Amino acid sequence: MADEDKSTKARAMGNPVVHFEIPVTDMDRAMAFYEAVLGYRLNRQQVDGYDMAFFPRADGAAGASGALARGDVYRPSKEGVIVYFDVPDIDAVLQKARARGARILYAKKDIGAAGFVAEIEDSEGNRIALSQVRD
């Protein structure tokens, strides 16, 4: 097998998304929202002149991680790409989101064997999704 074929096959077998960035206008507010609703501790840094707050990352684990990002090229929106966060208890996360002023954009839905999904509007006006695997 040619080296190019091996490389293409290897890429096709892994998860194609390795990083995401969620646009924010107020980093303090956004960090408080995500930390309270999802329970993660974010790591705030300056990267190439942009204010960023990174979600935890587990090297070698399945899935992707990302960051909240503030700067001239980042504009929050409910349109476009939707990031799904894996949560252990979707009802508890929805309750925390409502307590932080989030609007429910897509109510909890049973999607069969895959579990449950819902969508909320975060503190910055982005549409984000929640996913709970069925036990």
Side-chain angles (χ1 to χ4, degrees):
M1 184 181 281
D3 286 338
E4 184 175 90
D5 292 341
K6 287 179 187 176
S7 175
T8 301
K9 184 176 180 181
R11 277 195 312 263
M13 292 170 49
N15 293 316
V17 176
V18 297
H19 181 79
F20 61 84
E21 293 175 354
I22 298 173
V24 305
T25 53
D26 183 322
M27 186 60 79
D28 292 329
R29 178 180 62 205
M31 286 180 67
F33 178 86
Y34 280 89
E35 289 181 344
V37 172
L38 297 178
Y40 297 119
R41 188 83 177 126
L42 302 179
N43 178 16
R44 192 169 184 174
Q45 298 177 30
Q46 291 292 313
V47 178
D48 290 332
Y50 294 104
D51 191 12
M52 303 188 84
F54 291 87
F55 290 94
R57 176 186 167 117
D59 290 331
S65 188
L68 304 177
R70 187 178 68 78
D72 60 336
V73 299
Y74 296 102
R75 290 177 180 69
S77 173
K78 286 187 288 294
E79 302 163 356
V81 174
I82 302 171
V83 176
Y84 280 73
F85 285 91
D86 183 25
V87 298
D89 182 346
I90 202 166
D91 293 314
V93 173
L94 287 170
Q95 184 177 4
K96 289 176 188 175
R98 278 190 211 99
R100 302 283 308 182
R103 286 188 13 209
I104 306 303
L105 301 175
Y106 185 76
K108 177 183 171 184
K109 179 173 175 124
D110 186 326
I111 55 171
F116 305 91
V117 295
E119 294 178 5
I120 63 173
E121 181 178 3
D122 74 3
S123 62
E124 306 307 292
N126 295 299
R127 177 183 298 266
I128 63 164
L130 309 171
S131 175
Q132 177 188 334
V133 175
R134 188 177 300 281
D135 291 329

